[in-house]
Amino acid sequence: MVKTLVLRLDARQPDSHLIERAAAALREGGLVAFPTETVYGLGADATSAPAVSRIFAAKGRPASDPIIVHLYDLAQLEQIAVGVPSLAYDLARRFWPGPLTLVLRRGERIPPNVSAGLETVAVRMPDHPAALALFRAADLPVAAPSANRFARPSATTAAHVLEDLDGRIDVVLDGGPTVIGLESTVLDLTKPAPAVLRPGGITLEMLRAVIPDVALVSRHLQPDDAGIEAPGMLLKHYSPRAELLLFTGEPERVIPRMQAAVKDYLQAGQRVGILLPDEDADVFEGADVLVFRLGARENLAQLGANLFTGLRELDRRSADVILTRAVERSGLGVAIYDRLLRAAEGRIIAC
Ligand code: TXA
Ligand code: MG
């Protein structure tokens, strides 16, 4: 156990003394959680193999899962990656700082454990003043996965970070809730054709403006198919402790099916959580269930920003089962659907 130091700061104008304390911890090989525009990251010096191995230990993350390296200045890219294609610079100029991660060929300064032994490295520049100030003060590339215990929903507040990692990391920079609430888009540029490995804050539509034929190769998600190829192959990820059931189809069919399921679960003595857009959640108000309202149905940014908080909140309130429904699969909806699918671990109810 270490004593985790919590430093509260103004997200827009981070206090340079607090930033310097956190930067010193990074330089000494420590672990610092920090806010980004997507989710909180758990950072370590990306050039130090021992510091990076502490990330895996603190999260309980398997060594086979590679980590994103974060930078504050495009000039750092040359130290992190080699053979950077011009497309990477085009994308960086357009989308950085921002929620786009590029997979490139790993440079020698980045130890293999950052990338789980792969010859590639994932890189991004987050759009958050506190994160950028931290990296600049440490003057390091910073390896950082999401700041949650392995397979738990990502942390979108400092309280979520502490829920999972208090006593296991050195510092948490508390810059308030993150704006996007979903992780970055991961785009692989090391294959003959650029491919999105994880949908996120930069949508496929936005990428198509630069790469017209960009593919989504997510193992368990295609934008317009019925859902999953092989449910058994789903990675356990983003999971609340409760079982999540994902209902797909039009609301007119989904809501009655959910109401029937609620009745069955209540009769079986289970605590039922409902995670839905406001308009759908209204139907369940007054029933003997725990309701978490995600925001207006048409507002995908709001639904995305509240998703992980909702999963954690229903866990905290001891739901045994959480019923939710799929959102429209365009724009940010692709990333939301991806996270729901993974959290459901294959428990899909097509209505
Ligand atoms: O928004 C985000 O991306 C957040 C913030 C903190 O930056 N980070 C984040 O990290 O979500 P993490 O570790 O939870 O997810 C990183 C994703 C994983 O799906 C991992 O497999 C993929 O990026 N990844 C990392 N390095 C890779 C590589 N060399 N090749 C392919 N995929 C890689
Ligand atoms: Mg993660």
Side-chain angles (χ1 to χ4, degrees):
M1 282 285 277
V2 296
K3 172 106 184 76
T4 301
L5 179 67
V6 181
L7 303 175
R8 193 154 300 139
L9 38 76
D10 179 342
R12 262 164 301 181
Q13 285 181 301
D15 181 312
S16 57
H17 291 98
L18 301 180
I19 291 291
E20 184 45 50
R21 276 179 85 173
L26 280 182
R27 280 193 301 265
E28 286 157 19
L31 299 182
V32 176
F34 56 86
T36 78
E37 80 282 32
T38 59
V39 299
Y40 273 73
L42 177 60
D45 176 358
T47 65
S48 160
V52 168
S53 69
R54 273 181 213 124
I55 294 177
F56 289 96
K59 282 191 55 132
R61 180 181 174 112
S64 57
D65 200 355
I67 297 176
I68 298 170
V69 176
H70 295 68
L71 43 71
Y72 64 90
D73 188 334
L74 201 50
Q76 290 174 289
L77 200 50
E78 299 286 300
Q79 307 157 20
I80 296 166
V82 288
V84 179
S86 64
L87 176 58
Y89 286 100
D90 293 344
L91 290 163
R93 272 191 291 271
R94 192 165 183 131
F95 296 115
W96 284 359
L100 178 66
T101 295
L102 302 175
V103 178
L104 301 167
R105 288 178 44 220
R106 181 165 53 85
E108 274 174 15
R109 222 183 138 207
I110 303 299
N113 67 342
V114 169
S115 297
L118 298 171
E119 298 293 319
T120 58
V121 63
V123 190
R124 93 172 185 101
M125 187 190 292
D127 187 12
H128 196 291
L132 295 172
L134 172 69
F135 309 156
R136 188 181 298 277
D139 195 21
L140 288 170
V142 173
S146 50
N148 50 281
R149 288 298 293 261
F150 176 65
R152 293 271 301 142
S154 293
T156 59
T157 65
H160 294 165
V161 177
L162 291 169
E163 208 170 82
D164 283 16
L165 297 169
D166 194 13
R168 308 178 69 89
I169 65 177
D170 300 290
V171 180
V172 181
L173 285 178
D174 178 357
T178 61
V179 173
I180 298 178
L182 301 167
E183 305 84 348
S184 63
T185 302
V186 179
L187 177 67
D188 189 349
L189 296 182
T190 67
K191 301 279 154 49
V196 170
L197 305 180
R198 178 178 72 182
I202 298 294
T203 64
L204 290 167
E205 292 86 343
M206 290 160 84
L207 286 176
R208 281 192 195 113
V210 186
I211 317 169
D213 54 350
V214 68
L216 173 64
V217 299
S218 171
R219 200 153 19 119
H220 47 270
L221 172 68
Q222 292 299 317
D224 38 35
D225 71 4
I228 39 181
E229 289 159 13
M233 301 284 289
L234 281 180
L235 260 185
K236 184 171 164 62
H237 219 118
Y238 307 108
S239 312
R241 280 177 274 265
E243 275 197 1
L244 186 88
L245 261 59
L246 177 59
F247 290 69
T248 63
E250 293 307 312
E252 301 75 58
R253 290 199 303 275
V254 163
I255 300 301
R257 282 285 291 276
M258 272 193 178
Q259 287 173 305
V262 165
K263 216 171 133 207
D264 291 346
Y265 280 113
L266 289 178
Q267 256 163 21
Q270 304 259 306
R271 274 172 82 86
V272 181
I274 299 287
L275 181 74
L276 284 175
D278 295 350
E279 296 84 345
D280 304 323
D282 284 342
V283 177
F284 295 92
E285 293 292 351
D288 188 17
V289 293
L290 309 163
V291 178
F292 187 93
R293 304 163 70 90
L294 287 169
R297 198 194 270 172
E298 303 309 321
N299 189 342
L300 289 175
Q302 200 177 28
L303 303 182
N306 290 328
L307 180 63
F308 291 136
T309 298
L311 292 174
R312 283 177 178 266
E313 176 67 17
L314 290 171
D315 258 347
R316 215 180 45 74
R317 295 165 70 189
S318 307
D320 298 308
V321 59
I322 299 173
L323 311 187
T324 188
R325 93 172 173 81
V327 296
E328 149 201 347
R329 254 179 281 171
S330 62
L332 207 52
V334 179
I336 296 173
Y337 186 69
D338 169 85
R339 305 312 187 266
L340 287 173
L341 209 50
R342 297 200 215 190
E345 298 176 60
R347 290 179 292 264
I348 318 288
I349 296 161
C351 302

